[in-house]
């Protein structure tokens, strides 16, 4: 996917990482504020945390193997480093969710998931509404589909981008099918052409 054209966000993400690491080094050499380096590195971390949380929320109920998640978001790293990055992300995510009073994350040595009772997504609501052949439900499904899934999000990892592109296509197809069914259920207009 990226062998020919890297995603637009790819250079800025690694540029931010490099800037954060350089700033961290400059702290010791030039006495610049350390908080700036941590802020920059924190922005990159937040991107990956958001991508991980979005995947867990959207990939359906159940747990996902740690190796698969590590490959999805840190596929360019060696497996050990990718699993370490996943563990750090899960630690940070758990702390953030706990601080917000959300006990959503469940994990063990092999798998990670979200407690399905506490997770609602507009994508799941759209799919449920699109599955009912009632005009009001189909209109609701179309209203919930407000464009591409996670529009604007780009993570420089091929596995995540492939998954996201497939989900965007699948959900657009669900919305299109709901629109077609809604038209089929509409009463014929009096002024229809023969």
């Amino acid at each position: 996917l990226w062998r020919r054209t890297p995603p637009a966000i790819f250079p800025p993400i690694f540029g931010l990482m490099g800037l954060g690491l350089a700033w961290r080094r400059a702290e010791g050499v030039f006495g610049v504020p350390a908080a700036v380096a941590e802020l920059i590195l924190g922005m990159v971390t937040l991107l990956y945390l958001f991508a991980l949380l979005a995947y867990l929320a959207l990939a359906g109920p159940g747990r996902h193997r740690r190796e698969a998640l590590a490959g999805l978001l840190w596929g360019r790293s060696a497996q050990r480093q990718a699993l370490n990055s996943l563990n750090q992300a899960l630690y940070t995510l758990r702390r953030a969710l706990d601080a917000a009073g959300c006990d959503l994350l469940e994990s063990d040595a092999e798998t990670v998931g979200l407690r399905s009772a506490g997770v609602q997504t507009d994508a799941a609501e759209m799919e449920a509404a699109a599955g009912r052949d009632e005009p009001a439900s189909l209109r609701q499904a179309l209203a919930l589909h407000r464009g591409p899934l996670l529009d604007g999000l780009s993570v420089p990892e091929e596995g995540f981008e492939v998954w996201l592109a497939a989900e965007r296509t699948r959900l657009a197809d669900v919305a299109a099918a709901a629109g077609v069914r809604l038209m089929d259920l509409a009463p014929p207009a009096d002024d229809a052409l023969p």
Side-chain angles (χ1 to χ4, degrees), residues 27-76:
E27 172 196 1
V29 176
F30 302 113
V32 298
V36 175
E38 298 310 314
L39 176 68
I40 293 168
L41 293 172
M43 289 188 301
V44 175
T45 301
L46 280 175
L47 174 70
Y48 279 84
L49 289 177
F50 180 77
L52 175 61
L53 186 58
Y55 179 83
L56 291 173
L58 293 166
R63 295 201 179 187
H64 307 275
R65 297 199 48 79
R66 284 177 179 262
E67 290 84 8
L69 291 172
L72 187 75
L73 288 166
W74 294 277
R76 295 174 189 264

Side-chain angles (χ1 to χ4, degrees), residues 69-185:
L69 291 172
L72 187 75
L73 288 166
W74 294 277
R76 295 174 189 264
S77 301
Q79 185 175 10
R80 187 175 203 176
Q81 178 59 45
L83 285 169
N84 186 43
S85 295
L86 175 64
N87 287 336
Q88 289 175 344
L90 290 170
Y91 173 78
T92 303
L93 187 57
R94 186 180 307 281
R95 286 188 58 197
L97 291 171
D98 287 349
C102 300
D103 186 27
L104 293 178
L105 196 60
E106 52 185 21
S107 63
D108 58 32
E110 300 292 322
T111 61
V112 177
L114 294 179
R115 296 184 206 296
S116 59
V119 178
Q120 284 184 300
T121 65
D122 54 355
E125 289 179 31
M126 183 201 71
E127 286 185 275
R132 296 186 293 270
D133 280 334
E134 303 162 356
S137 292
L138 295 171
R139 279 193 285 282
Q140 178 189 11
L142 292 173
L144 285 168
H145 188 265
R146 294 180 289 269
L149 176 68
L150 301 172
D151 195 20
L153 177 67
S154 181
V155 175
E157 289 295 337
E158 185 174 6
F160 184 82
E161 289 296 324
V162 167
W163 169 80
L164 184 56
E167 282 299 294
R168 285 176 174 162
T169 300
R170 186 182 68 76
L171 290 172
D173 290 347
V174 168
V180 169
R181 281 202 314 282
L182 182 60
M183 289 189 307
D184 290 344
L185 293 173

